[in-house]
Amino acid sequence: MATQHSRTAARLMISPAVILLFLWMIVPLAMTLYFSFLRYNLLMPGMEEWAGFSNYRYFLTDPAFFTALRNTLVLVAGVLMITVTGGVLLALLLDQPMWGQGIVRILVIAPFFVMPTVSALVWTNMFMNPVNGLFAHAAKAMGLQPYDFLAQSPLLSITLIVAWQWLPFATLILLTALQSLDREQMEAAAMDGAGPLSRFIYITVPHLTRSITVVILIQTIFLLSVFAEILVTTNGGPGTASTTLTYLVYVQSMLQFDVGGGAAGGIVAVILANIVAIFLMRMIGRNLDA
Amino acid sequence: MGRITLRNVSKRFGDVTVIPPINLEIGDGEFVVFVGPSGCGKSTLLRLIAGLEDVSGGVIEIDGVNATGLPPARRGLAMVFQSYALYPHMSVRRNIAFPLKMAGMDPSEIARKVEAAAAVLNLTGYLDRRPGQLSGGQRQRVAIGRAIVREPKAFLFDEPLSNLDAALRVNMRLEISELHQTLKTTMIYVTHDQVEAMTMADKIVVLNQGRIEQVGSPLDLYRSPANLFVAGFIGSPKMNLIGGPEAARHGAVTMGLRPEHIDLSTSDGTWRGTVGMSEHLGSDTFLRVQVEGLGMITVRTGGDSGLRHGDAVCLTPQPGRVHRFDADGKAMA
Ligand SMILES: Nc1ncnc2c1ncn2[C@@H]1O[C@H](COP(=O)(O)OP(=O)(O)OP(=O)(O)O)[C@@H](O)[C@H]1O
Ligand SMILES: [Mg+2]
């Protein structure tokens, strides 16, 4: 079928879709790029003028920028660590034959269906609240001082909330991977004298690497843009203690009405996200081959 | 050493009894083949011996020591699985080395043993490949290599050749037999292919629905099958089983006659019939002869018999080659 003629026809026929997708991506990107070079403040509409790289200079020299960059990486790395280890352990647990397996699995998956805003609200008000939260009650019941999670360690609290949301995703993917593990391989390892721990290290973990890679790649994409959880819980504070890049862009453009600065921040975030992506693909992407 | 004794071993899955209590004695250095139709419990029995399934009752002894409750690793047996069960993410070298590594052996010692096993199995050039980059026969050899490096008390094979093509199967059959000659280790080999069973075994165990129908050397089973099931199962093509008045004439309820124990002539004989289908194998020809009053009888004849479909022939059973079975299907003396 791969004649010259059919190939030309094929190209012609998929071109509308490709062009549409290309425009879909390139138009917003180009506009953001354009805005990032303008002095464009919503408080002074109609006064846009060419600003060169000054938006970028302001954004990159803002002390909040480095905090935000660090916070973003800490948040992503923290959530990945919790979800991958937790996901592997939960998947191992759920893979065991047990009573009420169906219901338990649905319960485990449930957090994934809760909207980020809702789950963040529930966590802040019902669990982490220093006065009414369950954790506070528990602490008081044990005679301890209630801990104000969101004020005292805001980034950790947000990491926990986001990890709670993403744990089911990791668990689900790793569980399906576990279920595809050949039973005879496990039995062969058992006969070869491998105990449960050795079997986990030498058979299960290598079998899971590809799925773990998928989990890390997909989650990183979504975690770099975590926003609702921060807006609902800490508003990036106290100070900039829980401001991520995404949130900083929002603060810049929507709270300070500086569209140009926000656009510049957006472009910086895009570049950083790509750096992270290249880094990840280099590091673990080869697990996906073969 | 590798003497395995089963005493009243039985296995139930839920309320289905797959293996009723059976007794079996496997001597040191023997090549024992479990053979039987699909679903008769061969794999289950092997897995009971390996320790991959718990027995529902009875005792398994290895070298006189009760091994019933021992985990698989502590029984000192090695198994080759039908799917080979190689570790896909490890090189051939690491696959073969795995049991030694688990035993905590010294790395230089491991390397030496792996090289030695690879040399025996013609795998030296492939040690750094992954299982996915090997042919079926090579994978089979890696699986065997992984079993032999441990120097187990006995090898367990579960239909190891069923994924190979016919030519390779014959080759591997010889290689495994040769391996048994060199190592002189007990081997238990599961197959549903009676040719494999006949050619490789010192001792064949014929299983039917979990029960042991007969235990004996290949020629024992061929010459004096204990019952109708064994008579029909061992030998290719199948033994002719004839009932009715003809069997009664021999004082039996069913009489059995192998295709190779019937003389063929065009002029005179005990039975007359017409040639139906014939299978030409080159060296032999198997004729299906329709005999009045007896039905279809399979007869072996030379590769160059000029007989054609529809020819009239006469058949004579060779004296002393008739097997007689009673109403329960048991062989009569
Ligand atoms: N885990 C199990 N649960 C319930 N029944 C089982 C289980 N494993 C095997 N059986 C049943 O036990 C019987 C024997 O199975 P087994 O695998 O030993 O057969 P086999 O002789 O090896 O057959 P084959 O030649 O097809 O491999 C079958 O009827 C099978 O359905
Ligand atoms: Mg089987």
Side-chain angles (χ1 to χ4, degrees), chain B residues 3 8 13 64 72 77 84 87 103 107 122 142 151 172 180 196-197 252 298 303 324 329:
Chain B
R3 197 158 45 77
N8 292 320
F13 287 114
L77 309 175
Y84 314 140
Y87 310 127
N122 287 327
V142 176
E151 296 169 15
M172 289 302 299
H180 181 241
E196 264 172 41
T298 310
R324 302 181 308 145

Side-chain angles (χ1 to χ4, degrees), chain B residues 38-39 41-44 82 158-159 190:
Chain B
S38 184
K42 307 180 294 286
S43 301
T44 308
Q82 180 172 2
D158 191 355
E159 306 203 20
V190 164

